[in-house]
Amino acid sequence: PSSSSSLTTTVRICHINICSLRNKVNDVATLLYDHHIHVLSINETWLDGTFNSSLLHVPGYDIYRRDRDLHGGGVCIYAHRILKSQLLNTHTSTESLFISCRLPANAQFRKITIGTVYRPPSSLVSFWEDFANEFDRTSAADDNIVLLE
């Protein structure tokens, strides 16, 4: 969607595992624009706090990220600015993100929560309990939830 695109009743949501976002931002931008994606969830970004978000910028989109390190993991969400999104969870023990998106009045839902989660292969069984608790805290705020893994 272009920055001037109008959202009617359809929200396009996509999820990918990218195995390092660092050198693929142009590919992500192409995917977003060519397929008119409003929300893109990405797992295995392989980013850490030293990588500046400005290097991940795609015009017309906000980016939310939860980093781990350069050797795997990490999640992010690109959300088109027409959705007026905001980050919901900031303190979590899991590699997950939830955003709230406000939709135009003519959309089927006025508000939707979109989340992404990455479970590392080496994670403990307790990962799912931790995530379930986090999901319960987040989902209490909204009945319209899309979860991507």
Side-chain angles (χ1 to χ4, degrees):
S2 69
S3 58
S4 63
S5 69
S6 62
L7 180 67
T8 56
T9 59
T10 303
V11 178
R12 290 179 181 242
I13 300 171
C14 182
H15 175 77
I16 59 173
N17 182 317
I18 202 160
C19 295
S20 183
L21 179 58
R22 288 175 176 262
N23 62 347
K24 298 173 185 157
V25 176
N26 288 337
D27 296 327
V28 166
T30 299
L31 176 69
L32 291 166
Y33 295 139
D34 287 357
H35 297 281
H36 308 287
I37 296 169
H38 295 98
V39 178
L40 176 63
S41 160
I42 302 176
N43 282 4
E44 293 205 62
T45 58
W46 296 8
L47 300 174
D48 65 10
T50 65
F51 199 82
N52 192 319
S53 285
S54 66
L55 299 173
L56 305 171
H57 176 71
V58 174
Y61 288 83
D62 293 315
I63 184 170
Y64 304 93
R65 48 190 272 208
R66 173 130 7 260
D67 300 337
R68 190 190 336 154
D69 59 41
L70 301 176
H71 305 291
V75 297
C76 78
I77 297 175
Y78 281 92
H80 194 280
R81 291 202 173 124
I82 199 169
L83 296 178
K84 298 179 176 60
S85 60
Q86 66 179 25
L87 182 65
L88 291 179
N89 61 335
T90 56
H91 304 290
T92 176
S93 62
T94 64
E95 289 180 59
S96 61
L97 283 173
F98 287 90
I99 63 170
S100 175
C101 299
R102 288 184 302 156
L103 307 180
N106 59 339
Q108 182 178 0
F109 303 111
R110 298 276 302 185
K111 184 176 158 190
I112 188 170
T113 297
I114 300 170
T116 187
V117 60
Y118 174 71
R119 185 194 63 80
S122 61
S123 63
L124 302 173
V125 174
S126 62
F127 173 91
W128 291 115
E129 183 177 321
D130 294 341
F131 178 73
N133 291 332
E134 179 180 330
F135 181 79
D136 288 344
R137 283 192 306 274
T138 303
S139 63
D142 196 343
D143 292 333
N144 303 309
I145 299 171
V146 176
L147 181 61
L148 306 160
E149 178 191 23

